[in-house]
Amino acid sequence: MNKTWNNKAWFMVLPVLLLVAFNAVIPLMTVVNYSVQETFGNNLFFFEGVKWFREVLHSDRFHDSLLRQFFFTGTILAIEIPLGVIIALAMPRQGFWVPVCLVLMALPLLVPWNVVGAMWNIFALPDIGLMGYSINALGIDFNFTRQPASAWFTVIIMDVWHWTSLVVLLAYAGLRSIPDAYYQAARIDSASRWAVFRYIQLPKMKRVLTIAVLLRFMDSFMIYTEPFVLTGGGPGNTTTILSIDLVKAALGEFNLGIAAAMSIIYFLMTLLVCWVFYSAMMRGEDE
Amino acid sequence: MARIEFDRIRHAYMADPKTEADYALKELSMTWEDGGAYALLGPSGCGKTTLLNIISGLLHPSGGSIRFDGKDVTTLSTEARNIAQVFQFPVIYDTMTVRENLAFPLKNRGVARDEISRRVDETLRIIDLEEKADRRARRLTADEKQKISLGRGLVRSDVNAILFDEPLTVIDPHMKWQLRSKLKELHQRFAFTMIYVTHDQTEALTFADKVVVMYEGEVVQTGTPDELFRKPKHTFVGYFIGSPGMNVLPCKVSGKTASIGGNKVRLPVGAPKDAKSLEVGIRPEFITLTGGRTGIPVSINRVEDIGRFRIVHADLAGKEIAATLPEGSEIPAEPRAVFDPANVNLYADSWLVEAKG
């Protein structure tokens, strides 16, 4: 076959190129640019090399918010993944209740982030919020605007409320794809309920659960709006996770260099964890 | 192994069956002999799998009772019935090795450890998977996976029966033959009761001592392959078994003579009085085409050459019939069809009319 060479065809790629440039490459490069420069206003910049990176990596503030970030992500994963699987297992496999359950499960996912934050803020208020008031009525002193423990509890339960559904829906899809013959074979082999879960359901859900963990990891690592609206990182700095700290540095204190260096470290971390996790899971798949 | 008896078993998937047609499996009483190799043959949706699931207890029948060696097991669960079943698509436990797969049913039943390893080793030898014993089961081919499914049944020495639900569906053609002979060999060696569901007649006929033909939720005939060939009890069996199927020609009957479009054919029996429709059934193998003066004149439509013989499709009094023509013989110029009188069957309302006494 004869191929026609026409370099004008490159113009066809231009729209995509522009789109990617404007929504990814240029913003990212701006951040890279900021991360190696210092400014004193008036749009005057001086090259500083890796100074900001060194500073960020050695700052206690960054270490603390990173630690809080891992605590948050770890906790919500430890709750949402098993809880999601349990709910998916309990959901009916057929009949009238299937669509009802699915719609109920999908509801929290449809609520915008800032609304979720505002909702839980009011819900958890000790004087007028139903949850806050009820907990105090049980004799437990609960005030998320003053007590770090209460604030953490509220942030985590909010995220669990908002995102467990995603895990449920993914796990449910995985469960539904298991042919009946597997369950029948398990009965013929006298497998216990636990054995059915361990040797049939869990292996068959592995792929979707990998995706669920990845999505929840990335989302929780980048989460900003909900905790910002709920606690604003407080009381003090006790719920200041990476993203909130980053915005504080960039827009609150106008430390562009520090904030940009933080962004890049933050970005690379997310990328690294996802890559390591994904390739580990996929290698297990091939063995 | 056990003798399995069905006593007026029937099953409907709907809650409140009213008419006969509501039953996926119509009332059935029969005995599956201990150590027999049965093939359950029929088109898709005829109730084969329903019947199989009733035996294994995955399904509880709407009515009737089922006994293993005289003991009523109708209400017993699958676990308690001690049945092995091989499914259409290979079911294996992905995360386990071949050995662990085979040990699984024993472990679940709390068999002692050294007993498990002894029996697993023995089973591995039987199904020829010794070399792959410690490989992950997921990585094996479809036929090897099916062998593991079978092995999980064989490893329990006390199973009452082994059921097969179209086990060769996903197997490559050349492996099908091997697996089939393996099954046959195992059956001869261990004489387990075996019920094999299929819609492939070659599979059923080569494999089983007794073939059970099902049609629309009903067992229409149980017999040896030869009986099914010579004396199909229902026109469906005639069509379904044989390639091509039996010729079924509407006729009128007076005494022991049938009249097909004015042509007379001698019958072994007379027609029952209350029959609504009467048909003559004759297999293509029992029709000879001659150029002589006897027989019914036919006009030839087309000839298929399938190697060992040719199949002639001809027009007989407005109905198409098929006849086999041995290799090397000529098609006569003015062909007439002669029916072998010993193999002409009469069907009243689709059921074979049998000679009395």
Side-chain angles (χ1 to χ4, degrees), chain A residues 13-27:
Chain A
V13 196
L14 206 60
V16 172
L17 210 66
L18 284 175
L19 204 71
V20 175
F22 276 103
N23 75 29
V25 180
I26 295 175

Side-chain angles (χ1 to χ4, degrees), chain B residues 82-100:
Chain B
N82 215 357
I83 285 279
Q85 189 162 348
V86 179
F87 295 90
Q88 192 166 1
F89 298 97
V91 174
I92 47 136
Y93 302 103
D94 289 346
T95 51
M96 300 186 196
T97 63
V98 175
R99 192 185 294 280
E100 287 163 343

